[in-house]
Amino acid sequence: MDITRLHEAGEKIKEMLKKTGYYSEPNTYQPDLSDGKISFSYAYPIKAFEKFLGYYDSENRVAFNPSISMRTDFSFCLAACRYRKDEDKDTIVLDGESDEKYYRKAKFALDKFRHEYSIKGSFDFYIRRYRRYQRAKGLSESSAVAAAVSRALVSTVFGDDAAADDVFVSRYARLVSGSGTRAAHDGISMWLSYPGMDIKDCAAFKVGENQKRIHYGVFPKYSDIPTDSAHRVAMNSIFYDRWVEEKFNNVLRLIPERFDIDDLLKIGESDMLRLNSVLMSEGLVIQTAESIRIIHEILKFKSKNDGLYFTADTGPSIAIFSSDRSIIDEFRENVEDEYLDGTYNFDEYKSKMSEFSREVQDYFMHISTR
Amino acid sequence: MDITRLHEAGEKIKEMLKKTGYYSEPNTYQPDLSDGKISFSYAYPIKAFEKFLGYYDSENRVAFNPSISMRTDFSFCLAACRYRKDEDKDTIVLDGESDEKYYRKAKFALDKFRHEYSIKGSFDFYIRRYRRYQRAKGLSESSAVAAAVSRALVSTVFGDDAAADDVFVSRYARLVSGSGTRAAHDGISMWLSYPGMDIKDCAAFKVGENQKRIHYGVFPKYSDIPTDSAHRVAMNSIFYDRWVEEKFNNVLRLIPERFDIDDLLKIGESDMLRLNSVLMSEGLVIQTAESIRIIHEILKFKSKNDGLYFTADTGPSIAIFSSDRSIIDEFRENVEDEYLDGTYNFDEYKSKMSEFSREVQDYFMHISTR
């Protein structure tokens, strides 16, 4: 891997983002802590066009390359965070259960966060995911969780102004899950990340409106193939370096064309195939019989029709896109698979807020008196 | 693509093959033509460990990299070739039918062959494939066809000594199908091929006995995904260069270890995954729902058991290997898929020879009197 060249390309990307107004110097905030303070937040998951796997600096969660995605509405996450001055043990409840995996992720992020701001005390998190599907893999629920918990934490520690600063929120979402950076924004956003960068810039920036011209949806598919190791597996591939290099080329092209959505759709498709390739080359086959069948249907349809695009993240759920609604409808006539239409309505979370608040009060009261 | 480096690595491989006795200067033969002479031959298909896609020199059928395979018994091909001094149109009958695709392949090879030896006249070919399965893709039938027709042609034109010279036969099999070079040998063989090589060396050499220590078999799977474009598609992939480079490294390692079969099995598995990756990265997904399902079964089994290997060529039929028969039996208990046990008995073709000879006589008599 030619780290120097990636660093230089990354610096060039940052310069171009500055000139085009997408990048601004990150704001700083001072902690304003109050024992027992509770904050609420929400986040929606993203669908990546320019994807990422593999950390250049896993301690600081710096990815090898920038990545780009758009917000989707296939699920959402609500989170609440409470600060407790005199406790020394954080608590995490996800979907009603203490989850050891999420606890470890949160502990890692919180320890770094506390260290950065010299904060003592602990945080309690109560988190719930609300899905429009029964079960599926690769719909980026973890990005929504990361963004929601980060915003709740930022709100509790720094107050409303900081919590409204998506770039600032994305910086800490990163410590939970890389793709969480982008889930801190609406619309289209890019996580600026590259080897040897200034860590304070390692955050997501908004690079495109929440446009409504593109119709999208997803075929949710389940899989029990473990993908926890995907970052490491990808980096072991002989194809990894070439994959990463090409991403810098794509981003350098996208900035002057102002992240043209049609180009992003093409990149999303091509990068899904490459991501699958990189993992497959190391024996991690993330598609299932079900998803391969629908991919073949899509490829067959595409060979006869223009204007349909597809993508997927590290899982078998396949998303489709078109600027022409009728193309999506026509494709769907060929398949009987469960389909979720994507929308640009991101208000659904509001309907769950009061129920969620009651759960939060119950939970926080319970652990306070334990 | 660093052609100079590949050329140098290829030259080094040739030198090493010379020193270890695998390579010998190709023999030359003089045509000894007799009008109406008919020769018969047979060939078995191969299963590749180190695979190839993409021609460096498509006019001369020089591949970008050396490739290695072993002979299998899942099918065989019988071929007859007749020389006709005063005819100017070749004829090809494959499985009882004139096949335009095979005619074009044969015409290309025959024109080059006639040019090399200043031969006038035409050749009639009668070819039949005999399969142990109903239908499947990726079982390398074309390699057996190429080797069988090449040997029949060599026998008709040069006589028995040349026909018994597998290296010489492989040189012309190459003009029909690259993998046909290796099908001209029994046991394990390598097609020496690299950019800028001396064309006379572009042939297959035997590099390992027809050992019987390894148990093998195949799950035949059918697919209607066209793979005619696979060579071109592979070369378009951003991963192609890296894939090819690594093959030279593998071969350079294999020669001093005398093409150790255990290493070949590992390479066969890893290279199958990479070949699929290279094609997938360009949108050619050669696995089907059926084959992906069995690949997942194999990967799951492998995660708990040592000693099972798999591979596949450009198609969904999946081959498995083990030095331990009980490992194969244990794996097969998990799946209900049709399975063909591979053997080292390559005499089955004899039982079809008399029937085939009658068909050949009928056909050649028929076209003589037309």
Side-chain angles (χ1 to χ4, degrees), chain B residues 40-46 71-79 127-130 140-152 169 173 179-186 346 349 353:
Chain B
F40 289 83
S41 74
Y42 74 96
Y44 280 83
I46 49 87
R71 191 163 66 158
T72 64
D73 75 332
F74 304 124
S75 70
F76 60 83
C77 175
L78 297 181
I127 312 156
R128 191 174 283 285
R129 291 175 290 191
Y130 301 84
S140 192
E141 292 171 11
S142 63
S143 70
V145 171
V149 300
S150 175
R151 196 181 304 274
V169 169
S179 53
T181 50
R182 293 176 258 112
H185 289 270
D186 59 355
F346 297 100
Y349 78 95
M353 258 307 186

mmCIF file of all heavy atoms in Angstrom, chain B residues 40-46 71-79 127-130 140-152 169 173 179-186 346 349 353:
data_model
loop_
_atom_site.group_PDB
_atom_site.id
_atom_site.type_symbol
_atom_site.label_atom_id
_atom_site.label_comp_id
_atom_site.label_asym_id
_atom_site.label_seq_id
_atom_site.Cartn_x
_atom_site.Cartn_y
_atom_site.Cartn_z
ATOM 1 N N PHE B 40 -7.860 -41.303 -35.145
ATOM 2 C CA PHE B 40 -8.759 -41.205 -33.993
ATOM 3 C C PHE B 40 -7.981 -40.750 -32.761
ATOM 4 O O PHE B 40 -6.785 -41.029 -32.640
ATOM 5 C CB PHE B 40 -9.390 -42.569 -33.687
ATOM 6 C CG PHE B 40 -10.388 -42.995 -34.712
ATOM 7 C CD1 PHE B 40 -9.976 -43.619 -35.887
ATOM 8 C CD2 PHE B 40 -11.740 -42.763 -34.531
ATOM 9 C CE1 PHE B 40 -10.893 -44.014 -36.847
ATOM 10 C CE2 PHE B 40 -12.669 -43.154 -35.477
ATOM 11 C CZ PHE B 40 -12.252 -43.778 -36.640
ATOM 12 N N SER B 41 -8.700 -40.107 -31.850
ATOM 13 C CA SER B 41 -8.066 -39.772 -30.574
ATOM 14 C C SER B 41 -9.126 -39.562 -29.503
ATOM 15 O O SER B 41 -10.326 -39.537 -29.805
ATOM 16 C CB SER B 41 -7.227 -38.512 -30.704
ATOM 17 O OG SER B 41 -8.093 -37.410 -30.781
ATOM 18 N N TYR B 42 -8.644 -39.392 -28.293
ATOM 19 C CA TYR B 42 -9.559 -39.121 -27.176
ATOM 20 C C TYR B 42 -8.874 -38.131 -26.249
ATOM 21 O O TYR B 42 -7.657 -37.938 -26.320
ATOM 22 C CB TYR B 42 -9.898 -40.407 -26.419
ATOM 23 C CG TYR B 42 -8.771 -40.910 -25.559
ATOM 24 C CD1 TYR B 42 -8.715 -40.595 -24.196
ATOM 25 C CD2 TYR B 42 -7.739 -41.680 -26.098
ATOM 26 C CE1 TYR B 42 -7.654 -41.032 -23.410
ATOM 27 C CE2 TYR B 42 -6.688 -42.120 -25.329
ATOM 28 C CZ TYR B 42 -6.640 -41.794 -23.983
ATOM 29 O OH TYR B 42 -5.590 -42.219 -23.217
ATOM 30 N N ALA B 43 -9.676 -37.507 -25.376
ATOM 31 C CA ALA B 43 -9.098 -36.671 -24.324
ATOM 32 C C ALA B 43 -10.094 -36.536 -23.178
ATOM 33 O O ALA B 43 -11.316 -36.641 -23.383
ATOM 34 C CB ALA B 43 -8.721 -35.292 -24.854
ATOM 35 N N TYR B 44 -9.543 -36.323 -21.999
ATOM 36 C CA TYR B 44 -10.344 -36.095 -20.796
ATOM 37 C C TYR B 44 -10.204 -34.620 -20.382
ATOM 38 O O TYR B 44 -9.165 -34.004 -20.641
ATOM 39 C CB TYR B 44 -9.866 -37.011 -19.672
ATOM 40 C CG TYR B 44 -10.406 -38.430 -19.801
ATOM 41 C CD1 TYR B 44 -9.790 -39.359 -20.635
ATOM 42 C CD2 TYR B 44 -11.538 -38.826 -19.097
ATOM 43 C CE1 TYR B 44 -10.287 -40.653 -20.762
ATOM 44 C CE2 TYR B 44 -12.043 -40.112 -19.220
ATOM 45 C CZ TYR B 44 -11.415 -41.027 -20.050
ATOM 46 O OH TYR B 44 -11.930 -42.297 -20.173
ATOM 47 N N PRO B 45 -11.220 -34.084 -19.743
ATOM 48 C CA PRO B 45 -11.143 -32.658 -19.345
ATOM 49 C C PRO B 45 -10.254 -32.458 -18.121
ATOM 50 O O PRO B 45 -9.941 -33.417 -17.421
ATOM 51 C CB PRO B 45 -12.586 -32.312 -19.006
ATOM 52 C CG PRO B 45 -13.186 -33.592 -18.549
ATOM 53 C CD PRO B 45 -12.507 -34.683 -19.342
ATOM 54 N N ILE B 46 -9.892 -31.242 -17.875
ATOM 55 C CA ILE B 46 -9.031 -30.923 -16.735
ATOM 56 C C ILE B 46 -9.797 -30.114 -15.696
ATOM 57 O O ILE B 46 -10.866 -29.565 -15.970
ATOM 58 C CB ILE B 46 -7.782 -30.134 -17.181
ATOM 59 C CG1 ILE B 46 -8.161 -28.950 -18.085
ATOM 60 C CG2 ILE B 46 -6.811 -31.031 -17.953
ATOM 61 C CD1 ILE B 46 -8.498 -27.689 -17.440
ATOM 62 N N ARG B 71 -5.957 -33.865 -14.711
ATOM 63 C CA ARG B 71 -6.953 -34.525 -15.548
ATOM 64 C C ARG B 71 -8.073 -35.085 -14.681
ATOM 65 O O ARG B 71 -7.822 -35.560 -13.568
ATOM 66 C CB ARG B 71 -6.279 -35.654 -16.333
ATOM 67 C CG ARG B 71 -7.169 -36.205 -17.415
ATOM 68 C CD ARG B 71 -6.385 -37.001 -18.418
ATOM 69 N NE ARG B 71 -5.831 -38.210 -17.833
ATOM 70 C CZ ARG B 71 -5.471 -39.276 -18.555
ATOM 71 N NH1 ARG B 71 -5.619 -39.286 -19.863
ATOM 72 N NH2 ARG B 71 -4.956 -40.334 -17.971
ATOM 73 N N THR B 72 -9.292 -35.032 -15.174
ATOM 74 C CA THR B 72 -10.461 -35.568 -14.461
ATOM 75 C C THR B 72 -11.219 -36.516 -15.391
ATOM 76 O O THR B 72 -10.957 -36.548 -16.598
ATOM 77 C CB THR B 72 -11.425 -34.444 -14.031
ATOM 78 O OG1 THR B 72 -11.950 -33.817 -15.216
ATOM 79 C CG2 THR B 72 -10.736 -33.399 -13.171
ATOM 80 N N ASP B 73 -12.172 -37.238 -14.827
ATOM 81 C CA ASP B 73 -12.892 -38.236 -15.635
ATOM 82 C C ASP B 73 -14.399 -37.969 -15.704
ATOM 83 O O ASP B 73 -15.172 -38.891 -15.915
ATOM 84 C CB ASP B 73 -12.639 -39.638 -15.081
ATOM 85 C CG ASP B 73 -13.431 -39.895 -13.800
ATOM 86 O OD1 ASP B 73 -13.720 -38.903 -13.071
ATOM 87 O OD2 ASP B 73 -13.779 -41.047 -13.532
ATOM 88 N N PHE B 74 -14.799 -36.694 -15.521
ATOM 89 C CA PHE B 74 -16.240 -36.397 -15.495
ATOM 90 C C PHE B 74 -16.877 -36.506 -16.873
ATOM 91 O O PHE B 74 -18.085 -36.596 -17.015
ATOM 92 C CB PHE B 74 -16.491 -35.007 -14.906
ATOM 93 C CG PHE B 74 -15.912 -34.846 -13.535
ATOM 94 C CD1 PHE B 74 -15.024 -33.822 -13.246
ATOM 95 C CD2 PHE B 74 -16.248 -35.731 -12.519
ATOM 96 C CE1 PHE B 74 -14.472 -33.685 -11.984
ATOM 97 C CE2 PHE B 74 -15.706 -35.604 -11.251
ATOM 98 C CZ PHE B 74 -14.809 -34.576 -10.987
ATOM 99 N N SER B 75 -16.045 -36.438 -17.889
ATOM 100 C CA SER B 75 -16.515 -36.639 -19.259
ATOM 101 C C SER B 75 -15.291 -37.049 -20.069
ATOM 102 O O SER B 75 -14.176 -37.077 -19.541
ATOM 103 C CB SER B 75 -17.131 -35.354 -19.828
ATOM 104 O OG SER B 75 -16.128 -34.376 -20.062
ATOM 105 N N PHE B 76 -15.507 -37.423 -21.319
ATOM 106 C CA PHE B 76 -14.368 -37.545 -22.227
ATOM 107 C C PHE B 76 -14.837 -37.182 -23.622
ATOM 108 O O PHE B 76 -16.056 -37.073 -23.866
ATOM 109 C CB PHE B 76 -13.707 -38.937 -22.175
ATOM 110 C CG PHE B 76 -14.609 -40.084 -22.543
ATOM 111 C CD1 PHE B 76 -14.830 -40.443 -23.873
ATOM 112 C CD2 PHE B 76 -15.250 -40.814 -21.541
ATOM 113 C CE1 PHE B 76 -15.654 -41.505 -24.195
ATOM 114 C CE2 PHE B 76 -16.090 -41.870 -21.865
ATOM 115 C CZ PHE B 76 -16.290 -42.220 -23.194
ATOM 116 N N CYS B 77 -13.883 -36.971 -24.486
ATOM 117 C CA CYS B 77 -14.217 -36.571 -25.846
ATOM 118 C C CYS B 77 -13.498 -37.508 -26.817
ATOM 119 O O CYS B 77 -12.309 -37.807 -26.634
ATOM 120 C CB CYS B 77 -13.746 -35.133 -26.070
ATOM 121 S SG CYS B 77 -13.972 -34.569 -27.768
ATOM 122 N N LEU B 78 -14.218 -37.985 -27.819
ATOM 123 C CA LEU B 78 -13.600 -38.755 -28.903
ATOM 124 C C LEU B 78 -13.593 -37.879 -30.146
ATOM 125 O O LEU B 78 -14.541 -37.123 -30.382
ATOM 126 C CB LEU B 78 -14.374 -40.052 -29.161
ATOM 127 C CG LEU B 78 -14.407 -41.058 -28.000
ATOM 128 C CD1 LEU B 78 -15.197 -42.311 -28.400
ATOM 129 C CD2 LEU B 78 -12.993 -41.439 -27.555
ATOM 130 N N ALA B 79 -12.530 -37.991 -30.912
ATOM 131 C CA ALA B 79 -12.436 -37.179 -32.128
ATOM 132 C C ALA B 79 -11.810 -37.984 -33.256
ATOM 133 O O ALA B 79 -10.950 -38.846 -33.023
ATOM 134 C CB ALA B 79 -11.599 -35.930 -31.864
ATOM 135 N N ILE B 127 -16.626 -35.256 -33.880
ATOM 136 C CA ILE B 127 -16.303 -35.159 -32.445
ATOM 137 C C ILE B 127 -17.537 -35.513 -31.617
ATOM 138 O O ILE B 127 -18.649 -35.062 -31.932
ATOM 139 C CB ILE B 127 -15.897 -33.702 -32.087
ATOM 140 C CG1 ILE B 127 -14.863 -33.154 -33.082
ATOM 141 C CG2 ILE B 127 -15.399 -33.604 -30.658
ATOM 142 C CD1 ILE B 127 -14.842 -31.626 -33.176
ATOM 143 N N ARG B 128 -17.348 -36.294 -30.584
ATOM 144 C CA ARG B 128 -18.481 -36.538 -29.686
ATOM 145 C C ARG B 128 -18.011 -36.473 -28.232
ATOM 146 O O ARG B 128 -16.944 -36.961 -27.888
ATOM 147 C CB ARG B 128 -19.144 -37.891 -29.961
ATOM 148 C CG ARG B 128 -20.490 -38.045 -29.235
ATOM 149 C CD ARG B 128 -21.236 -39.304 -29.607
ATOM 150 N NE ARG B 128 -21.899 -39.269 -30.898
ATOM 151 C CZ ARG B 128 -23.045 -38.607 -31.170
ATOM 152 N NH1 ARG B 128 -23.643 -37.897 -30.235
ATOM 153 N NH2 ARG B 128 -23.580 -38.659 -32.374
ATOM 154 N N ARG B 129 -18.870 -35.812 -27.406
ATOM 155 C CA ARG B 129 -18.586 -35.738 -25.971
ATOM 156 C C ARG B 129 -19.438 -36.773 -25.234
ATOM 157 O O ARG B 129 -20.617 -36.941 -25.583
ATOM 158 C CB ARG B 129 -18.909 -34.333 -25.446
ATOM 159 C CG ARG B 129 -17.955 -33.279 -25.962
ATOM 160 C CD ARG B 129 -18.369 -31.892 -25.538
ATOM 161 N NE ARG B 129 -19.581 -31.461 -26.233
ATOM 162 C CZ ARG B 129 -20.052 -30.222 -26.206
ATOM 163 N NH1 ARG B 129 -19.422 -29.303 -25.508
ATOM 164 N NH2 ARG B 129 -21.148 -29.897 -26.865
ATOM 165 N N TYR B 130 -18.866 -37.434 -24.274
ATOM 166 C CA TYR B 130 -19.576 -38.421 -23.451
ATOM 167 C C TYR B 130 -19.469 -37.942 -22.015
ATOM 168 O O TYR B 130 -18.369 -37.793 -21.481
ATOM 169 C CB TYR B 130 -18.920 -39.795 -23.600
ATOM 170 C CG TYR B 130 -18.917 -40.291 -25.036
ATOM 171 C CD1 TYR B 130 -17.917 -39.897 -25.925
ATOM 172 C CD2 TYR B 130 -19.921 -41.139 -25.500
ATOM 173 C CE1 TYR B 130 -17.918 -40.327 -27.246
ATOM 174 C CE2 TYR B 130 -19.921 -41.582 -26.825
ATOM 175 C CZ TYR B 130 -18.922 -41.169 -27.687
ATOM 176 O OH TYR B 130 -18.924 -41.593 -28.991
ATOM 177 N N SER B 140 -15.221 -27.961 -17.987
ATOM 178 C CA SER B 140 -14.072 -27.925 -18.895
ATOM 179 C C SER B 140 -14.166 -28.870 -20.088
ATOM 180 O O SER B 140 -13.166 -29.384 -20.569
ATOM 181 C CB SER B 140 -12.794 -28.207 -18.078
ATOM 182 O OG SER B 140 -11.665 -27.912 -18.843
ATOM 183 N N GLU B 141 -15.381 -29.102 -20.568
ATOM 184 C CA GLU B 141 -15.527 -29.972 -21.739
ATOM 185 C C GLU B 141 -14.722 -29.443 -22.920
ATOM 186 O O GLU B 141 -14.204 -30.213 -23.727
ATOM 187 C CB GLU B 141 -16.999 -30.076 -22.139
ATOM 188 C CG GLU B 141 -17.846 -30.820 -21.118
ATOM 189 C CD GLU B 141 -19.336 -30.716 -21.413
ATOM 190 O OE1 GLU B 141 -19.692 -30.254 -22.521
ATOM 191 O OE2 GLU B 141 -20.136 -31.111 -20.551
ATOM 192 N N SER B 142 -14.624 -28.115 -23.028
ATOM 193 C CA SER B 142 -13.939 -27.551 -24.190
ATOM 194 C C SER B 142 -12.447 -27.879 -24.187
ATOM 195 O O SER B 142 -11.831 -27.970 -25.242
ATOM 196 C CB SER B 142 -14.158 -26.043 -24.273
ATOM 197 O OG SER B 142 -13.593 -25.430 -23.145
ATOM 198 N N SER B 143 -11.873 -28.099 -22.991
ATOM 199 C CA SER B 143 -10.452 -28.473 -22.956
ATOM 200 C C SER B 143 -10.263 -29.861 -23.558
ATOM 201 O O SER B 143 -9.299 -30.100 -24.300
ATOM 202 C CB SER B 143 -9.904 -28.428 -21.524
ATOM 203 O OG SER B 143 -10.443 -29.471 -20.725
ATOM 204 N N ALA B 144 -11.199 -30.770 -23.260
ATOM 205 C CA ALA B 144 -11.096 -32.128 -23.809
ATOM 206 C C ALA B 144 -11.322 -32.106 -25.320
ATOM 207 O O ALA B 144 -10.627 -32.799 -26.067
ATOM 208 C CB ALA B 144 -12.111 -33.043 -23.129
ATOM 209 N N VAL B 145 -12.276 -31.303 -25.776
ATOM 210 C CA VAL B 145 -12.515 -31.194 -27.222
ATOM 211 C C VAL B 145 -11.242 -30.685 -27.910
ATOM 212 O O VAL B 145 -10.779 -31.260 -28.905
ATOM 213 C CB VAL B 145 -13.708 -30.260 -27.535
ATOM 214 C CG1 VAL B 145 -13.807 -29.992 -29.035
ATOM 215 C CG2 VAL B 145 -15.013 -30.858 -27.007
ATOM 216 N N ALA B 146 -10.647 -29.628 -27.361
ATOM 217 C CA ALA B 146 -9.462 -29.036 -27.983
ATOM 218 C C ALA B 146 -8.311 -30.037 -28.052
ATOM 219 O O ALA B 146 -7.638 -30.172 -29.087
ATOM 220 C CB ALA B 146 -9.034 -27.795 -27.201
ATOM 221 N N ALA B 147 -8.094 -30.767 -26.960
ATOM 222 C CA ALA B 147 -6.987 -31.725 -26.934
ATOM 223 C C ALA B 147 -7.251 -32.903 -27.871
ATOM 224 O O ALA B 147 -6.349 -33.366 -28.575
ATOM 225 C CB ALA B 147 -6.759 -32.223 -25.509
ATOM 226 N N ALA B 148 -8.489 -33.370 -27.897
ATOM 227 C CA ALA B 148 -8.811 -34.520 -28.751
ATOM 228 C C ALA B 148 -8.681 -34.157 -30.229
ATOM 229 O O ALA B 148 -8.090 -34.910 -31.008
ATOM 230 C CB ALA B 148 -10.222 -35.031 -28.435
ATOM 231 N N VAL B 149 -9.187 -33.010 -30.621
ATOM 232 C CA VAL B 149 -9.108 -32.651 -32.053
ATOM 233 C C VAL B 149 -7.656 -32.362 -32.439
ATOM 234 O O VAL B 149 -7.223 -32.719 -33.531
ATOM 235 C CB VAL B 149 -10.022 -31.459 -32.451
ATOM 236 C CG1 VAL B 149 -11.490 -31.778 -32.164
ATOM 237 C CG2 VAL B 149 -9.620 -30.171 -31.776
ATOM 238 N N SER B 150 -6.908 -31.773 -31.521
ATOM 239 C CA SER B 150 -5.517 -31.482 -31.842
ATOM 240 C C SER B 150 -4.735 -32.789 -32.044
ATOM 241 O O SER B 150 -3.961 -32.931 -32.997
ATOM 242 C CB SER B 150 -4.876 -30.660 -30.726
ATOM 243 O OG SER B 150 -3.504 -30.469 -30.990
ATOM 244 N N ARG B 151 -4.957 -33.760 -31.168
ATOM 245 C CA ARG B 151 -4.216 -35.015 -31.300
ATOM 246 C C ARG B 151 -4.621 -35.759 -32.577
ATOM 247 O O ARG B 151 -3.772 -36.345 -33.268
ATOM 248 C CB ARG B 151 -4.400 -35.912 -30.073
ATOM 249 C CG ARG B 151 -3.330 -37.025 -30.014
ATOM 250 C CD ARG B 151 -3.510 -37.944 -28.801
ATOM 251 N NE ARG B 151 -3.531 -37.255 -27.533
ATOM 252 C CZ ARG B 151 -2.452 -36.933 -26.818
ATOM 253 N NH1 ARG B 151 -1.247 -37.221 -27.281
ATOM 254 N NH2 ARG B 151 -2.576 -36.310 -25.662
ATOM 255 N N ALA B 152 -5.914 -35.719 -32.908
ATOM 256 C CA ALA B 152 -6.357 -36.384 -34.140
ATOM 257 C C ALA B 152 -5.730 -35.707 -35.364
ATOM 258 O O ALA B 152 -5.274 -36.374 -36.301
ATOM 259 C CB ALA B 152 -7.889 -36.354 -34.219
ATOM 260 N N VAL B 169 1.250 -31.944 -29.149
ATOM 261 C CA VAL B 169 -0.218 -31.901 -29.297
ATOM 262 C C VAL B 169 -0.789 -30.677 -28.583
ATOM 263 O O VAL B 169 -1.675 -29.997 -29.095
ATOM 264 C CB VAL B 169 -0.861 -33.200 -28.747
ATOM 265 C CG1 VAL B 169 -2.377 -33.064 -28.637
ATOM 266 C CG2 VAL B 169 -0.494 -34.396 -29.636
ATOM 267 N N ALA B 173 -3.568 -27.698 -29.554
ATOM 268 C CA ALA B 173 -4.799 -27.634 -28.752
ATOM 269 C C ALA B 173 -5.014 -26.188 -28.290
ATOM 270 O O ALA B 173 -6.137 -25.694 -28.236
ATOM 271 C CB ALA B 173 -4.686 -28.563 -27.551
ATOM 272 N N SER B 179 -7.162 -23.895 -22.288
ATOM 273 C CA SER B 179 -7.090 -24.979 -21.308
ATOM 274 C C SER B 179 -6.913 -26.336 -21.989
ATOM 275 O O SER B 179 -6.563 -27.320 -21.332
ATOM 276 C CB SER B 179 -8.334 -24.982 -20.425
ATOM 277 O OG SER B 179 -9.490 -25.007 -21.226
ATOM 278 N N GLY B 180 -7.136 -26.388 -23.296
ATOM 279 C CA GLY B 180 -6.907 -27.614 -24.061
ATOM 280 C C GLY B 180 -5.457 -28.056 -24.026
ATOM 281 O O GLY B 180 -5.155 -29.246 -24.131
ATOM 282 N N THR B 181 -4.531 -27.099 -23.843
ATOM 283 C CA THR B 181 -3.107 -27.453 -23.757
ATOM 284 C C THR B 181 -2.894 -28.492 -22.672
ATOM 285 O O THR B 181 -2.237 -29.498 -22.887
ATOM 286 C CB THR B 181 -2.258 -26.218 -23.370
ATOM 287 O OG1 THR B 181 -2.836 -25.594 -22.214
ATOM 288 C CG2 THR B 181 -2.208 -25.207 -24.510
ATOM 289 N N ARG B 182 -3.478 -28.212 -21.511
ATOM 290 C CA ARG B 182 -3.246 -29.082 -20.355
ATOM 291 C C ARG B 182 -3.985 -30.411 -20.476
ATOM 292 O O ARG B 182 -3.556 -31.426 -19.943
ATOM 293 C CB ARG B 182 -3.620 -28.340 -19.078
ATOM 294 C CG ARG B 182 -2.675 -27.174 -18.807
ATOM 295 C CD ARG B 182 -3.086 -26.359 -17.603
ATOM 296 N NE ARG B 182 -3.758 -25.119 -17.964
ATOM 297 C CZ ARG B 182 -5.026 -24.837 -17.740
ATOM 298 N NH1 ARG B 182 -5.811 -25.723 -17.146
ATOM 299 N NH2 ARG B 182 -5.546 -23.695 -18.119
ATOM 300 N N ALA B 183 -5.125 -30.393 -21.226
ATOM 301 C CA ALA B 183 -5.884 -31.636 -21.416
ATOM 302 C C ALA B 183 -5.156 -32.602 -22.351
ATOM 303 O O ALA B 183 -5.556 -33.743 -22.508
ATOM 304 C CB ALA B 183 -7.281 -31.317 -21.951
ATOM 305 N N ALA B 184 -4.067 -32.158 -22.978
ATOM 306 C CA ALA B 184 -3.271 -33.059 -23.825
ATOM 307 C C ALA B 184 -2.375 -33.970 -22.972
ATOM 308 O O ALA B 184 -1.769 -34.899 -23.498
ATOM 309 C CB ALA B 184 -2.421 -32.247 -24.797
ATOM 310 N N HIS B 185 -2.301 -33.685 -21.676
ATOM 311 C CA HIS B 185 -1.477 -34.505 -20.778
ATOM 312 C C HIS B 185 -2.353 -35.287 -19.819
ATOM 313 O O HIS B 185 -3.459 -34.872 -19.504
ATOM 314 C CB HIS B 185 -0.572 -33.600 -19.931
ATOM 315 C CG HIS B 185 0.527 -32.955 -20.717
ATOM 316 N ND1 HIS B 185 1.756 -33.516 -20.884
ATOM 317 C CD2 HIS B 185 0.550 -31.775 -21.391
ATOM 318 C CE1 HIS B 185 2.514 -32.714 -21.623
ATOM 319 N NE2 HIS B 185 1.808 -31.655 -21.949
ATOM 320 N N ASP B 186 -1.807 -36.390 -19.311
ATOM 321 C CA ASP B 186 -2.460 -37.008 -18.158
ATOM 322 C C ASP B 186 -1.813 -36.384 -16.913
ATOM 323 O O ASP B 186 -0.890 -35.569 -17.016
ATOM 324 C CB ASP B 186 -2.339 -38.533 -18.183
ATOM 325 C CG ASP B 186 -0.891 -38.991 -18.186
ATOM 326 O OD1 ASP B 186 0.013 -38.132 -18.269
ATOM 327 O OD2 ASP B 186 -0.659 -40.208 -18.134
ATOM 328 N N PHE B 346 -8.947 -43.859 -16.578
ATOM 329 C CA PHE B 346 -9.188 -43.117 -17.820
ATOM 330 C C PHE B 346 -9.292 -44.060 -19.019
ATOM 331 O O PHE B 346 -8.822 -43.762 -20.114
ATOM 332 C CB PHE B 346 -8.081 -42.063 -18.004
ATOM 333 C CG PHE B 346 -8.087 -41.031 -16.903
ATOM 334 C CD1 PHE B 346 -7.189 -41.103 -15.848
ATOM 335 C CD2 PHE B 346 -9.033 -40.008 -16.900
ATOM 336 C CE1 PHE B 346 -7.216 -40.174 -14.820
ATOM 337 C CE2 PHE B 346 -9.064 -39.069 -15.880
ATOM 338 C CZ PHE B 346 -8.150 -39.154 -14.833
ATOM 339 N N TYR B 349 -13.210 -44.434 -22.153
ATOM 340 C CA TYR B 349 -13.382 -44.058 -23.565
ATOM 341 C C TYR B 349 -13.325 -45.266 -24.502
ATOM 342 O O TYR B 349 -13.940 -45.267 -25.568
ATOM 343 C CB TYR B 349 -12.317 -43.029 -23.972
ATOM 344 C CG TYR B 349 -10.953 -43.616 -24.233
ATOM 345 C CD1 TYR B 349 -10.567 -43.948 -25.537
ATOM 346 C CD2 TYR B 349 -10.067 -43.864 -23.189
ATOM 347 C CE1 TYR B 349 -9.311 -44.511 -25.775
ATOM 348 C CE2 TYR B 349 -8.825 -44.423 -23.423
ATOM 349 C CZ TYR B 349 -8.452 -44.742 -24.711
ATOM 350 O OH TYR B 349 -7.234 -45.298 -24.958
ATOM 351 N N MET B 353 -15.403 -46.647 -28.305
ATOM 352 C CA MET B 353 -14.618 -46.484 -29.522
ATOM 353 C C MET B 353 -15.233 -47.166 -30.749
ATOM 354 O O MET B 353 -15.235 -46.598 -31.844
ATOM 355 C CB MET B 353 -13.189 -46.981 -29.300
ATOM 356 C CG MET B 353 -12.178 -45.871 -29.068
ATOM 357 S SD MET B 353 -12.181 -44.592 -30.347
ATOM 358 C CE MET B 353 -10.804 -43.590 -29.848
#
